[in-house]
Amino acid sequence: MGEVHGNPGFSGVHDSPGSGGVHGNPGSGGVHGNPGSGEVRDSPDPWVAEHIRRFQETGGRPRPGTNDLLLTTRGRRTGELRRTALVYGRDGDRYVLVASNRGADRHPAWYLNLLADPRVTVQVGTEVFTARARPATAAERPGLWRLMASARPEYAAYRERTTREIPVVLLERLPGR
């Protein structure tokens, strides 16, 4: 199994419950590789929108000791590009995300969006690339959940708050970008 990058003591694990709101930074590199790319809308959650701004200002290192990435999905209803900031772990070449939605009883919008259109844009540090997103299989999920929850204890607490199974997502880089 891989490793989680991040500071396990940080309690600010987040995934945006919504989408839309603040317009993306046009200087951020856009959404390379997504067909019909256009203006990116950042998470409407003020904390996440501020985190995205800090991510861009710091070259992708808004919280030293914590590895964050920016994930851009296509809105399943609007077709608009939506961006959020998420903590990630690594499993080999794959990036691992947890769709916790802070323990809410509904999946975060970014997760629902990638189910509808699994082609996403990822920014790690200053590198931007296209990836295919998918939920972990039933066989993969237990080990990946342990990986993420061992480094991010908040995930276990979030699981206690909800009756839904919190999805674990894998991002696999596509050839090219």
Side-chain angles (χ1 to χ4, degrees):
M1 198 55 46
E3 61 185 87
V4 171
H5 296 269
N7 177 351
F10 178 75
S11 62
V13 172
H14 58 279
D15 38 27
S16 173
S19 56
V22 180
H23 294 285
N25 179 348
S28 69
V31 286
H32 303 286
N34 270 347
S37 63
E39 184 175 13
V40 177
R41 293 188 177 267
D42 288 346
S43 169
D45 180 314
W47 191 90
V48 178
E50 173 64 16
H51 189 86
I52 292 168
R53 185 188 65 73
R54 284 192 329 266
F55 186 102
Q56 293 170 327
E57 288 176 350
T58 62
R61 300 299 304 166
R63 299 181 294 174
T66 299
N67 282 352
D68 297 296
L69 59 74
L70 297 183
L71 177 70
T72 302
T73 60
R74 184 164 302 281
R76 65 199 175 283
R77 293 187 298 241
T78 65
E80 294 179 347
L81 297 172
R82 309 292 187 160
R83 180 168 51 194
T84 193
L86 299 164
V87 171
Y88 70 87
R90 292 293 300 264
D91 182 52
D93 291 338
R94 306 180 302 181
Y95 293 83
V96 183
L97 308 175
V98 175
S100 70
N101 205 13
R102 300 180 184 123
D105 286 329
R106 66 189 186 291
H107 295 308
W110 64 263
Y111 176 72
L112 298 173
N113 290 344
L114 68 79
L115 290 177
D117 183 353
R119 187 177 170 101
V120 298
T121 300
V122 180
Q123 182 175 349
V124 176
T126 58
E127 181 184 16
V128 178
F129 58 92
T130 304
R132 183 177 70 87
R134 67 173 177 84
T137 66
E140 294 169 321
R141 189 183 185 290
L144 294 171
W145 176 263
R146 282 190 303 276
L147 169 75
M148 296 301 287
S150 68
R152 310 299 301 188
E154 343 23 295
Y155 290 137
Y158 295 160
R159 186 171 55 187
E160 297 300 316
R161 291 185 201 161
T162 186
T163 57
R164 72 180 170 96
E165 180 174 79
I166 296 175
V168 176
V169 174
L170 291 166
L171 302 177
E172 298 167 326
R173 185 187 296 256
L174 293 175
R177 264 192 94 97

